[in-house]
Amino acid sequence: AQTVTQSQPEMSVQEAETVTLSCTYDTSESDYYLFWYKQPPSRQMILVIRQEAYKQQNATENRFSVNFQKAAKSFSLKISDSQLGDAAMYFCAYRSARGETSGSRLTFGEGTQLTVNP
Amino acid sequence: DVKVTQSSRYLVKRTGEKVFLECVQDMDHENMFWYRQDPGLGLRLIYFSYDVKMKEKGDIPEGYSVSREKKERFSLILESASTNQTSMYLCASSLLLASSGNTIYFGEGSWLTVV
C-alpha cells in the first residue's frame, strides 16, 4: 500500500518570501500522479498543482512549483512571493496510474498548516 | 465547473442514531469517494464507488456503509453513530480512468458532532 508523509505539521512565512513544504511517499509502482491540495478555512479543497511521475520536468503553476525527486520519492512544494491568501492547510496526495478502479483513489499526507505573516 | 454538493454542512447527532450524509455531483463522474478528515491524520478514505450499486472499502470502513443508487448521488451511512465518529466528512468525485490522471473534485465538507 502507498503511504504519504508530511513531516511538517506547521510552517510559517513572511509575506512576499518563499517557503517550501515537504512531502515524501512510498510506493512500489513506477507510474503515478502526485498532487498538492490547498484547504483554506472554508474547508473547500483546491487543487494547487499536479505532477505526472513519468515527466522529469517539475510542474509549475504561477507562484507554485514542485521539486519532484522520483528516486528519493520526494515531492516538495515551493510557494514564491507568499501572499496572505496562501494561508491554509496544504495536503500532499498520491494517486496510482493503474487503469483498474482501485487505482482511482487518492492517498493523503497528514497536512501542513501554513501561516503567512504580514 | 464541476460541483460536488454535500447537503448538510453541520450536524449534531446523538449516540446510537442512524446518520445519513448525502453527496451529489453534477458532472456525470463515475467515481465517488467519502473521506474523513481528522487533525494530524489527514484525509482517510472510508469507501468509494466506481459505478452505480458498486462500492469498495477504503482504509477505515468500520462503522460505516454507503449507498449509490444513482450515478450522481453517493450516501454515507452511520448505522449507529458513536462519539469517535465526530469528524469532518468530505465527499469527492472524478472520472473513472485513473491512468489519465483525472482530477478529483471535493465538496465543502460536512461537520458531524456525535454527542
Side-chain angles (χ1 to χ4, degrees):
Chain A
Q2 295 81 21
T3 59
V4 178
T5 302
Q6 293 177 249
S7 58
Q8 305 156 317
E10 298 176 346
M11 291 283 285
S12 63
V13 63
Q14 290 296 126
E15 199 175 0
E17 298 293 308
T18 295
V19 64
T20 298
L21 308 183
S22 301
C23 173
T24 58
Y25 58 94
D26 189 25
T27 183
S28 59
E29 297 176 336
S30 60
D31 200 11
Y32 48 86
Y33 299 89
L34 295 166
F35 304 84
W36 278 98
Y37 277 87
K38 170 185 177 181
Q39 188 183 48
S42 67
R43 295 291 174 168
Q44 179 70 59
M45 295 282 278
I46 301 165
L47 178 64
V48 175
I49 199 164
R50 182 179 91 174
Q51 175 79 43
E52 290 88 346
Y54 63 85
K55 289 186 177 179
Q56 291 188 341
Q57 187 174 4
N58 289 323
T60 62
E61 286 287 340
N62 301 315
R63 298 182 294 107
F64 299 87
S65 62
V66 299
N67 183 5
F68 173 48
Q69 302 287 331
K70 191 172 184 179
K73 295 180 182 174
S74 170
F75 183 59
S76 61
L77 175 70
K78 186 171 82 171
I79 306 174
S80 304
D81 185 25
S82 297
Q83 300 175 0
L84 295 177
D86 294 333
M89 180 73 83
Y90 286 82
F91 290 99
C92 178
Y94 171 102
R95 190 180 194 188
S96 171
R98 290 180 303 171
E100 63 265 31
T101 56
S102 59
S104 300
R105 54 176 292 174
L106 277 173
T107 299
F108 286 88
E110 302 89 341
T112 297
Q113 182 67 50
L114 177 67
T115 301
V116 180
N117 300 309
Chain B
D1 274 356
V2 175
K3 193 162 180 65
V4 180
T5 303
Q6 294 181 231
S7 55
S8 302
R9 290 298 308 274
Y10 302 96
L11 303 94
V12 179
K13 298 292 182 180
R14 295 192 181 277
T15 300
E17 272 194 80
K18 189 169 185 176
V19 181
F20 292 86
L21 299 180
E22 305 286 346
C23 176
V24 176
Q25 51 93 3
D26 66 357
M27 281 301 290
D28 204 34
H29 284 170
E30 293 87 356
N31 291 332
M32 295 189 76
F33 309 83
W34 275 106
Y35 284 88
R36 171 176 171 161
Q37 183 178 353
D38 299 289
L41 298 177
L43 279 74
R44 294 177 292 167
L45 183 65
I46 304 171
Y47 268 97
F48 72 98
S49 168
Y50 53 88
D51 200 353
V52 174
K53 297 190 185 295
M54 305 303 288
K55 61 185 179 184
E56 286 197 23
K57 292 180 180 179
D59 299 320
I60 51 165
E62 295 79 18
Y64 303 94
S65 63
V66 290
S67 172
R68 192 158 181 208
E69 297 296 320
K70 293 185 178 182
K71 190 175 184 180
E72 67 271 19
R73 186 179 298 270
F74 192 37
S75 302
L76 180 68
I77 304 158
L78 289 67
E79 293 289 342
S80 178
S82 63
T83 55
N84 63 13
Q85 292 178 311
T86 292
S87 187
M88 162 88 138
Y89 291 86
L90 285 163
C91 177
S93 72
S94 77
L95 290 170
L96 180 62
L97 295 178
S99 58
S100 61
N102 289 309
T103 300
I104 293 183
Y105 297 89
F106 286 85
E108 292 182 320
S110 296
W111 283 100
L112 173 65
T113 301
V114 183
V115 298

